């Protein structure tokens, strides 16, 4: 086998010294030489496994897929727990010429040197086995798609009769979700669901009861993706929901009213806060989990262009005034505000926030959660904050005239205030405050800038491809000025790095409307929103759509993404 590995590695253009180093590492660490060679980074796994399959006389599968008609039988012969433990995937059967008799079981693996797995398969399989080779990532993804997330634990639970809702089994233990637990339990099953969400960089998990199943969806890069779950998961619905409620300190007995809670998780040595919302539905309680990692909030992570970055730094250097961030729910406003506060955070400044709810805890900053049921609203909280000698204040959202007037008063008395508004663009924030009842002269004298933002998906660097758009396509998207420019598109089907979507991560598009002296005068005179837009352009304002086009031309995102989140100005 070693000589075959060396031959395959040479065919894959690997230096002999790297091969020998990998073999030494394998011998010293007691691991497979195949894994040692791949983990050394000296070889491209796909290229290497393809050559290795040829040298072994095996079939190489780029993306293993089970034969649809045989899926039930394949799952019976190779159960989920076995497939996950030994990292094998049932592809199908070899039949006789008539196609009626199964002669062999076709199995895919990623490591032909794993003799223990092959011996276990020989004991498990009712038929002789023909082996195929596939990359490890593709195999693990195929196993998850066929059996569902946490299927190995689910199978063992059902076999042990663990589908009940006995609350004694849902122990309130430390929420360390990356501890390996050999015992099958609802605790482990829920941990696997959360761990997979973190691995896929999901921001939300939705557990939604259906008439005949329990649907689980992850929100990844702003889009919901339904994840494969084990068959008959409905049997564990009550136990799964009860476990999540125990983790978030909610009342298990209360199933008629909405509840909110919070979970503090430990995963891979990191602390992760999870905001939990439980709401009753006709099919049972539906639970949403918002995953809030302990992020580092820096200006570099916002993806600002140089001009916008300089503008933001000037605004943060102001001793007083209001900076308002606008945009719909889920557009990244909180991340932007936390970044501003992190930039200002120092031992010489007292920073106080009032939020609904507190999403991320920032060290050195006093953060107050809104509690309407006891009268702690944005307005009452802000009034109390101002009596506590703050330098910088952040209000989660300006929702009413009372809060807006207190924020204006705070800015005029020497405080730097940050908050959010729900408007479609930056300039519309001006008219929103005036319509709320704030006097125009107070808006013009207190507000320093309005910043609007939206989130677009970032192209996967591993598989993005140059794109040629026809003239009518550009007109339809609203970007005729992009004709003849170099643009990019997401590759259909993506790659393993982007989970087949063509996108990986998100970045914000911004527009910043500064309250210049001319704008202040026009606001005081109650100028129309159209006139304010015109003046803002004269003052250097770059609309979000143009900012998005810059990102598309830089290969960061696509025109389709920019068009999806921005609106074309009407003539």
């Amino acid at each position: 086998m070693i000589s075959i590995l060396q031959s395959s590695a040479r065919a894959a253009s690997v230096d002999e010294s790297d091969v020998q180093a990998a073999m030494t590492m394998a011998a010293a660490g007691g691991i497979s030489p195949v894994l040692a060679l791949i983990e050394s980074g000296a070889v491209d796994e796909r290229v290497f496994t393809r050559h290795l399959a040829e040298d072994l006389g095996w079939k190489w599968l780029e993306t293993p897929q089970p034969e649809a008609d045989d899926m039930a039988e394949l799952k019976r012969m190779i159960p989920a727990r076995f497939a996950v433990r030994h990292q094998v995937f049932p592809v199908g059967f070899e039949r006789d010429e008539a196609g009626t008799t199964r002669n062999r079981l076709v199995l895919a693996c990623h490591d032909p040197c794993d003799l223990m797995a092959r011996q276990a398969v020989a004991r498990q399989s009712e038929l002789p086995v023909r082996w195929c080779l596939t990359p490890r990532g593709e195999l693990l993804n195929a196993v998850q798609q066929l059996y569902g997330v946490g299927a190995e634990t689910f199978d063992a639970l059902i076999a042990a009769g663990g589908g009940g809702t006995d609350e004694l089994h849902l122990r309130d233990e430390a929420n360390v979700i990356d501890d390996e637990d050999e015992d099958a339990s609802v605790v482990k099953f829920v941990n696997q669901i959360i761990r997979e969400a973190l691995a896929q960089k999901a921001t939300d998990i939705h557990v939604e009861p259906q008439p005949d199943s329990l649907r689980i969806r992850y929100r990844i890069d702003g889009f919901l993706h339904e994840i494969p779950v084990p068959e008959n998961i409905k049997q564990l619905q009550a136990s799964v929901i009860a476990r999540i409620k125990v983790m978030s300190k909610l009342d298990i007995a209360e199933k008629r009213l909405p509840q909110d809670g919070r979970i503090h998780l430990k995963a891979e040595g990191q602390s992760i806060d999870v905001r939990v919302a439980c709401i009753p539905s006709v099919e049972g309680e539906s639970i949403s989990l918002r995953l809030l990692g302990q992020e580092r909030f820096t200006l570099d992570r916002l993806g600002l262009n140089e001009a916008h970055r300089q503008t933001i730094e000037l605004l943060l250097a102001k001793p007083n005034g209001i900076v308002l961030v606008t945009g719909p729910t889920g557009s990244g406003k909180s991340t932007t505000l936390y970044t501003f506060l992190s930039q200002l955070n120092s031992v010489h400044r007292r920073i106080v926030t009032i939020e609904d709810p507190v999403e991320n805890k920032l060290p050195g900053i006093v953060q107050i959660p809104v509690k309407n049921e006891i009268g702690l609203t944005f307005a009452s909280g802000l009034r109390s904050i101002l009596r506590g000698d703050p330098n910088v204040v952040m209000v989660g959202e300006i929702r009413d005239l009372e809060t807006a007037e207190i924020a204006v008063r705070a800015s005029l008395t020497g405080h730097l205030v940050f908050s959010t508004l729900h408007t479609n663009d930056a300039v519309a924030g001006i008219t929103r405050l005036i319509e709320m009842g704030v006097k125009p002269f107070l808006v013009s004298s207190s507000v320093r800038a309005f910043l609007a933002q939206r989130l677009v998906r970032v192209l996967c660097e591993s598989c993005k491809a140059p794109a040629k758009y026809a003239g009518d396509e550009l007109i339809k998207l609203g970007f005729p000025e992009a004709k003849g420019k170099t643009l990019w598109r997401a590759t259909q089907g993506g790659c393993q790095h982007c989970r087949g979507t063509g996108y990986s991560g998100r970045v914000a598009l911004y527009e910043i409307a500064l309250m210049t002296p001319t704008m202040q005068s026009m606001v005081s005179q109650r100028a129309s929103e159209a006139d304010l837009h015109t003046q803002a352009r004269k003052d250097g304002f770059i609309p979000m759509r143009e900012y998005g086009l810059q990102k598309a031309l830089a290969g960061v995102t696509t025109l389709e993404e920019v068009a999806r989140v921005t609106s074309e100005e009407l003539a």
Side-chain angles (χ1 to χ4, degrees):
M1 177 60 78
I2 297 298
S3 61
I4 293 177
L5 290 176
Q6 291 172 329
S7 173
S8 302
R10 283 193 295 270
S13 303
V14 182
D15 291 340
E16 189 65 32
S17 59
D18 291 328
V19 176
Q20 292 303 324
M23 297 304 166
T24 302
M25 183 174 68
I31 63 174
S32 162
V34 172
L35 292 180
L37 190 57
I38 291 172
E39 290 177 1
S40 70
V43 62
D44 182 287
E45 183 180 6
R46 287 176 177 266
V47 175
F48 172 64
T49 54
R50 188 164 60 243
H51 286 293
L52 182 56
E54 290 176 4
D55 291 341
L56 289 170
W58 291 9
K59 185 176 181 180
W60 184 75
L61 300 175
E62 185 173 10
T63 52
Q65 295 286 342
E67 295 176 5
D69 295 338
D70 295 325
M71 278 202 286
E73 184 62 15
L74 290 171
K75 286 196 254 186
R76 184 193 68 80
M77 292 185 68
I78 304 294
R81 193 175 183 85
F82 185 91
V84 171
R85 175 171 293 179
H86 298 291
Q87 298 197 353
V88 296
F89 180 76
V91 178
F93 297 100
E94 282 186 354
R95 291 178 167 83
D96 59 10
E97 292 183 3
T100 55
T101 304
R102 300 188 185 111
N103 292 331
R104 288 181 181 232
L105 172 66
V106 181
L107 277 185
C109 71
H110 66 86
D111 183 5
C113 293
D114 190 347
L115 298 181
M116 291 185 64
R118 295 176 70 176
Q119 290 170 359
V121 167
R123 292 190 297 269
Q124 172 76 20
S125 177
E126 304 163 9
L127 296 170
V129 175
R130 182 169 70 83
W131 288 95
C132 302
L133 202 58
T134 191
R136 183 171 186 268
E138 296 293 344
L139 184 139
L140 296 179
N141 183 60
V143 168
Q144 185 184 109
Q145 292 296 322
L146 178 61
Y147 297 102
V149 174
E152 69 276 19
T153 302
F154 177 84
D155 284 356
L157 270 170
I158 298 301
T165 60
D166 186 354
E167 293 175 14
L168 294 176
H169 293 137
L170 302 173
R171 56 194 182 280
D172 185 13
E173 58 190 17
N175 296 325
V176 182
I177 66 169
D178 50 4
D179 278 357
E180 287 299 329
D181 181 7
E182 287 298 321
D183 297 331
S185 66
V186 176
V187 173
K188 181 180 179 183
F189 183 70
V190 172
N191 285 353
Q192 287 174 309
I193 292 171
I194 298 175
R195 192 161 55 231
E196 182 62 27
L198 293 171
Q200 295 196 29
K201 298 182 179 178
T203 56
D204 300 83
I205 305 172
H206 298 285
V207 182
E208 304 161 322
Q210 303 294 307
D212 55 358
S213 183
L214 183 66
R215 182 169 71 176
I216 299 178
R217 295 191 288 175
Y218 295 162
R219 188 176 293 279
I220 303 171
D221 295 340
F223 283 75
L224 283 173
H225 300 266
E226 185 170 355
I227 66 165
V229 294
E231 295 177 2
N232 303 319
I233 192 176
K234 189 76 172 177
Q235 297 178 48
L236 284 187
Q237 174 177 312
S239 296
V240 168
I241 290 172
R243 169 57 188 163
I244 296 173
K245 292 173 75 173
V246 165
M247 294 173 74
S248 49
K249 307 292 192 297
L250 300 181
D251 184 357
I252 296 179
E254 179 56 74
K255 300 179 181 180
R256 300 167 300 168
L257 296 173
Q259 298 185 70
D260 294 323
R262 211 172 182 101
I263 305 173
H264 301 286
L265 298 177
K266 293 284 186 182
E268 297 181 357
Q270 294 185 341
S271 295
I272 297 167
D273 282 335
V274 183
R275 205 169 73 218
V276 181
C278 179
I279 57 176
S281 73
V282 293
E283 298 296 341
E285 292 174 287
S286 175
I287 295 186
S288 296
L289 298 89
R290 168 66 61 87
L291 307 176
L292 304 167
Q294 301 297 310
E295 302 177 62
R296 290 184 60 200
F297 297 100
T298 63
L299 285 178
D300 291 335
R301 292 194 61 187
L302 294 183
L304 296 161
N305 65 21
E306 190 57 35
H308 280 175
R309 184 181 179 116
Q310 290 178 6
T311 300
I312 292 297
E313 288 175 345
L314 287 173
L315 290 172
L316 296 182
K318 298 285 185 183
N320 55 54
I322 303 177
V323 176
L324 288 167
V325 182
T326 74
T329 301
S331 60
K333 299 189 299 296
S334 295
T335 298
T336 298
L337 287 176
Y338 282 138
T339 301
F340 292 169
L341 296 182
S342 296
Q343 289 295 116
L344 294 170
N345 193 10
S346 74
V347 70
H348 305 295
R349 286 193 184 93
R350 176 172 167 81
I351 303 176
V352 186
T353 76
I354 180 161
E355 308 169 55
D356 184 21
V358 175
E359 291 193 3
N360 288 83
K361 295 177 182 177
L362 303 177
I365 293 177
V366 179
Q367 295 175 271
I368 305 169
V370 165
K371 295 182 180 177
N372 291 311
E373 63 272 15
I374 60 172
L376 180 53
T377 63
F378 279 122
S380 63
L382 180 56
R383 195 178 289 111
S384 299
I385 288 171
L386 295 178
R387 291 196 288 268
D389 187 33
N391 300 105
V392 180
V393 176
M394 193 267 272
V395 184
E397 183 183 347
I398 293 180
R399 297 175 178 172
D400 52 51
L401 176 59
E402 184 181 9
T403 307
E405 287 180 334
I406 298 172
V408 167
R409 196 179 314 133
S411 72
L412 295 175
T413 54
H415 302 87
L416 185 57
V417 181
F418 297 96
S419 190
T420 68
L421 276 176
H422 284 293
T423 63
N424 289 327
D425 58 48
V427 176
I430 298 171
T431 52
R432 177 79 178 92
L433 283 179
I434 293 173
E435 288 170 357
M436 200 179 283
V438 181
K439 298 290 190 292
F441 76 91
L442 290 176
V443 174
S444 63
S445 58
S446 62
V447 178
R448 295 282 181 255
F450 291 88
L451 185 153
Q453 68 179 77
R454 301 286 191 280
L455 293 177
V456 293
R457 292 180 293 174
V458 174
L459 281 165
C460 175
E461 286 295 329
S462 298
C463 65
K464 71 179 185 181
K468 290 185 178 180
Y469 288 85
D472 56 344
E473 280 187 280
L474 294 173
I475 292 172
K476 186 176 180 180
L477 289 170
F479 297 100
E481 66 271 31
K483 187 174 182 179
K485 303 287 180 65
T486 301
L487 296 163
W488 300 81
R489 267 195 176 124
T491 302
Q492 186 70 27
C495 67
Q496 61 179 344
H497 300 287
C498 59
R499 304 170 307 279
T501 64
Y503 297 92
S504 180
R506 289 189 291 175
V507 71
L509 306 183
Y510 297 97
E511 62 181 24
I512 304 175
L514 295 174
M515 195 64 72
T516 62
T518 306
M519 287 285 282
Q520 287 179 318
S521 176
M522 292 179 69
V523 170
S524 297
Q525 296 170 20
R526 294 180 176 267
S528 68
E529 191 172 314
D531 290 341
L532 291 174
H533 261 289
T534 301
Q535 182 58 45
R537 291 298 296 265
K538 292 179 181 177
D539 292 336
F541 171 76
I542 301 175
M544 190 183 300
R545 201 169 177 84
E546 290 185 19
Y547 186 93
L549 178 58
Q550 294 174 11
K551 291 291 185 182
L553 292 173
V556 175
T557 188
T558 63
L559 289 182
E560 286 83 0
E561 278 293 294
V562 178
R564 179 177 63 84
V565 301
T566 63
S567 57
E568 190 174 3
E569 293 184 13
L570 298 176

